[in-house]
Amino acid sequence: MPYDYDVLIVGAGPAGTACALGLAGSGLRVGLLDKAQFPRDKVCGDAIPSPALKALTRLNPAWAAELRELTAGYRTDMRTSRLVSPAGTGVSVHWQAPAFNSPRLQFDDALLTLVRRHTATDIRENSAVKTVTADAQGVTVQLADGASLTARLVVGCDGAHSAVARALAPAPLDRTRHCAAVRAYFEEVDDVPATTSDFLFLGRYRAGYCWVFPVGAGRFNVGFGMLSSDVARQKLDLKLVLQELLATHPHLVPRFTRARQLTPIQGFGLPLGGSARPLTGPRALLCGDAAALIDPLQGHGIDTAVISGLLAADHAARCCAADAFGPEALAPYAAAVQRRLGRDLARRYRLMRLLARAPWLVEGAFRAAQWPPLRRVLVRAMA
């Protein structure tokens, strides 16, 4: 059959743009579509971990440098994490690897700008997906506006509620491997150095934390998240929980006395990595949140999204070169994600559950971290 594209990427966030960048120069016809018009906001913690930047640097150092230029004025380079235990014990961790916080409104738009500048990708915004079907001949993506697109292979990078995953690699929601979170933007927050992110762990709400992240231009991403199974069991409204924490937590009250809330509190979901969630389907690869690759211990996922997007680009090119799209041809992608990310995510999920069941262990770790040699050991275990 005649195809519109060799590879059609659904979702233009970090996973989708990384996949498009990874396919630059491949000679393949690549399409990248998203339901939104960029720049668009994405409810998130806005942390850009160092592995994401390292992966882009390995792909093309000039592109990584250009990304920093594009986000100048819309980011804060991070040097320190301040952690507070449920009992109030504090630990500061200083990082050497480059990382920054940046609102997704600007960060995702910067990544898409790199795709526009450096690839021949056909970008389609305002293109919501209605249905996705696949057979031995190819993949057909029906858009909400009535348009129909065909491809040899589809790459699902369309987030936690992925239309590609629902259609071609469905998996039931497991609340024990899913986090719910809320966030809002503030300004005039006190005692938060520009290069420092704050994490507060809470005895009442285990398997989660509250955060205060500077994101540039005097703004702060402030949020709270925890396991969805615990949210359901305790019948919590996370928006109310965050408001309560800001009004009552002894480490937050003095910081937010003068603070001004800039946006409503909004919620989002985080499908945690380390599970047996399918990463492939008929003529389909899944990346990022669509593949449930959120770090269970720290809650970030932009690094795993970028890495999985680049792995998908590599395997999509191989499949197209061999004209092979069956399960045996797609299986190496799942194996590569498992080697690069899956094993570590599974280990971190087990550690997260252990810490949630044993609050005494959390306090013991914080006390041990007061001694610099043990702090270095604990940081390596959690980083």
Side-chain angles (χ1 to χ4, degrees):
M1 61 180 294
Y3 303 99
D4 295 304
Y5 305 104
D6 295 302
V7 181
L8 178 58
I9 305 166
V10 179
T17 50
C19 187
L21 290 170
L23 288 168
S26 65
L28 299 174
R29 294 165 297 162
V30 179
L32 174 62
L33 60 86
D34 198 282
K35 64 183 179 182
Q37 177 77 39
F38 283 67
R40 59 94 179 97
D41 190 21
K42 172 70 167 63
V43 186
C44 176
D46 294 340
I48 317 298
S50 60
L53 305 177
K54 290 179 181 178
L56 289 172
T57 299
R58 284 193 295 269
L59 177 65
N60 190 314
W63 294 353
E66 189 174 347
L67 178 66
R68 296 189 67 85
E69 293 176 2
L70 289 168
T71 55
Y74 302 105
R75 73 167 192 274
T76 296
D77 294 330
M78 302 315 302
R79 296 290 180 265
T80 304
S81 294
R82 296 192 300 195
L83 297 82
V84 178
S85 79
T89 304
V91 172
S92 290
V93 178
H94 304 287
W95 304 102
Q96 299 299 320
F100 60 79
N101 299 334
S102 178
R104 295 286 298 276
L105 178 70
Q106 286 87 20
F107 179 74
D108 287 14
D109 191 50
L111 285 174
L112 190 58
T113 297
L114 293 180
V115 176
R116 289 192 176 100
R117 290 179 177 178
H118 302 293
T119 78
T121 304
D122 181 25
I123 300 171
R124 291 173 173 251
E125 300 172 77
N126 292 319
S127 297
V129 171
K130 184 177 180 181
T131 63
V132 184
T133 57
D135 56 28
Q137 281 69 49
V139 182
T140 300
V141 175
Q142 190 76 31
L143 302 182
D145 63 6
S148 182
L149 305 174
T150 59
R152 300 163 74 191
L153 181 72
V154 65
V155 183
C157 304
D158 47 339
H161 304 289
S162 168
V164 177
R166 288 199 307 270
L168 302 181
L173 175 64
D174 181 354
R175 293 185 183 275
T176 67
R177 291 185 176 273
H178 186 278
C179 275
V182 293
R183 73 98 163 104
Y185 288 113
F186 288 77
E187 65 180 3
E188 301 296 337
V189 179
D190 291 325
D191 189 27
V192 185
T195 60
T196 298
S197 290
D198 285 337
F199 301 79
L200 289 84
F201 299 90
L202 310 160
R204 181 179 175 186
Y205 307 114
R206 302 176 189 173
Y209 62 84
C210 178
W211 68 82
V212 181
F213 294 168
V215 294
R219 292 191 169 199
F220 298 82
N221 183 313
V222 181
F224 172 74
M226 61 186 292
L227 269 182
S228 295
S229 57
D230 291 353
V231 174
R233 179 173 52 82
Q234 298 181 45
K235 299 180 180 179
L236 298 174
D237 182 332
L238 295 190
K239 295 181 180 180
L240 296 179
V241 171
L242 179 59
Q243 292 173 341
E244 176 193 6
L245 290 172
L246 297 180
T248 63
H249 194 286
H251 285 266
L252 294 174
V253 170
R255 299 182 188 184
F256 282 82
T257 301
R258 301 187 309 113
R260 186 166 70 91
Q261 186 172 332
L262 301 174
T263 65
I265 299 175
Q266 295 177 277
F268 59 106
L270 301 98
L272 302 180
S275 68
R277 202 222 184 285
L279 299 178
T280 67
R283 286 185 177 255
L285 307 176
L286 300 181
C287 305
D289 289 6
L293 295 177
I294 295 288
D295 184 313
L297 200 58
Q298 298 185 40
H300 56 71
I302 291 178
D303 51 346
T304 54
V306 169
I307 292 168
S308 61
L310 294 175
L311 289 173
D314 180 58
H315 286 271
R318 294 183 186 182
C319 288
C320 289
D323 196 26
F325 303 95
E328 67 286 346
L330 302 182
Y333 167 72
V337 173
Q338 177 65 11
R339 286 192 304 271
R340 182 75 181 273
L341 301 170
R343 294 170 185 169
D344 187 54
L345 292 175
R347 176 185 65 81
R348 297 168 75 82
Y349 178 81
R350 293 191 296 270
L351 180 57
M352 180 271 292
R353 295 308 301 260
L354 172 63
L355 295 174
R357 291 192 297 265
W360 59 268
L361 188 58
V362 176
E363 290 299 333
F366 270 83
R367 287 195 294 270
Q370 303 304 306
W371 189 38
L374 280 179
R375 181 162 62 243
R376 287 192 291 269
V377 172
L378 292 170
V379 167
R380 284 196 297 270
M382 299 182 67

